Amino acid sequence: MRESDPAAGRGRSVTANILAVLRCFSVDEPLLGVTELAARLDLHKSSVSRILSALEAEEVVEQDPHSKKYRLGLGLLAIAGPMLATLDIRRFALPVLTELSVSTGETAALTVWSAAEAVVVEQVASTQIIKHTVPLGTRYTNLDSASVQVFAAEAGATGQHPEPGLTARLEEVRMRGYAVNHAATSPDVVGIAAGVRDHRGELVAAIIVAAPLYRVPDDRIGELGDACAAAAADLSMRLGHRS
């Protein structure tokens, strides 16, 4: 398209109009027609048609054969792939962990899976005098660890952990949405973890809330679990996951 194209009207460049068209598509409105886009962006329908035709040729959008409306296409993944592959999950996680730590009053941490271990890669410590923290790089392998349970539950869902003794326990983690370590690996600490997914829907990390045992009576486990699961869902969205 030339910069003199009518699509560059209303004081916008062609590039700005192309981006404006792409930004109109959302989870709530995955399918949009030429008329809808033209009205929303104050553009001529012919201009929108040219933009969509050019994007369709590059597989950035595709036309639904039934409604004749357009949706985002797989060509976008080829463009975004290099960026998505190098996302710094710690950078995205830090504000989520900070908010979780403030809302619960406890330490919040992020672990990733490496070989056969869950490794702590980020942490926001509780501001309370008595708290539980660990050095970055701390590794967990015990299935009583909440973060290990999260990753093991995912592996079990794909048939990688067939041990019958684990089936019920890991199924509970999957159904509940978070795992609990009630002083099983440390007599004075409760750990609660929930899984984080990326744009492909794959489990890439776990968020943990860790607290001294005396501050976590039985009736607080659900509260902390829900907060942890909500934080994990928030981070998943930031990584492009759509449930």
Side-chain angles (χ1 to χ4, degrees):
M1 294 182 188
R2 303 184 306 273
E3 288 299 324
S4 59
D5 192 287
R10 311 296 193 274
R12 293 193 298 261
S13 68
V14 173
T15 301
N17 281 323
I18 291 172
L19 292 174
V21 167
L22 292 175
R23 288 183 180 126
C24 285
F25 295 93
S26 66
V27 174
D28 294 329
E29 295 182 288
L31 282 171
L32 292 170
V34 172
T35 301
E36 294 169 280
L37 289 166
R40 190 170 302 185
L41 299 173
D42 192 23
L43 292 172
H44 293 297
K45 288 199 292 185
S46 60
S47 299
V48 173
S49 292
R50 281 194 293 273
I51 290 174
L52 291 171
S53 294
L55 293 174
E56 186 178 21
E58 299 297 328
E59 298 183 340
V60 173
V61 299
E62 59 185 26
Q63 190 175 39
D64 179 77
H66 302 293
S67 67
K68 302 303 180 184
K69 294 186 177 183
Y70 290 84
R71 64 167 65 91
L72 296 179
L74 294 177
L76 274 177
L77 290 179
I79 297 170
M83 182 274 293
L84 293 173
T86 57
L87 279 176
D88 184 351
I89 192 171
R90 291 177 61 194
R91 175 167 57 89
F92 282 85
L94 189 56
V96 177
L97 296 177
T98 300
E99 182 177 347
L100 179 61
S101 180
V102 170
S103 66
T104 61
E106 307 297 350
T107 296
L110 182 78
T111 67
V112 298
W113 191 251
S114 176
E117 302 171 312
V119 183
V120 178
V121 296
E122 189 58 271
Q123 180 178 246
V124 175
S126 168
T127 58
Q128 303 198 61
I129 295 175
I130 299 176
K131 57 195 164 192
H132 176 72
T133 60
V134 297
L136 295 185
T138 296
R139 298 170 182 271
Y140 299 105
T141 58
N142 192 322
L143 260 172
D144 287 325
S145 167
S147 58
V148 175
Q149 289 178 50
V150 168
F151 292 108
E154 181 77 0
T158 58
Q160 297 176 32
H161 279 270
E163 297 91 337
L166 293 176
T167 302
R169 186 177 181 187
L170 298 182
E171 180 61 23
E172 183 179 4
V173 172
R174 287 192 290 269
M175 295 295 293
R176 187 172 51 197
Y178 59 86
V180 178
N181 173 3
H182 195 272
T185 57
S186 176
D188 301 316
V189 179
V190 172
I192 296 174
V196 175
R197 298 185 181 276
D198 66 6
H199 65 285
R200 301 162 297 181
E202 294 186 5
L203 183 69
V204 293
I207 285 181
I208 306 171
V209 174
L213 178 61
Y214 79 90
R215 280 207 300 265
V216 190
D218 289 345
D219 60 2
R220 197 184 179 212
I221 290 177
E223 171 196 335
L224 292 177
D226 290 343
C228 189
D234 184 7
L235 180 53
S236 297
M237 283 187 58
R238 293 174 187 238
L239 295 179
H241 176 61
R242 297 294 182 266
S243 59

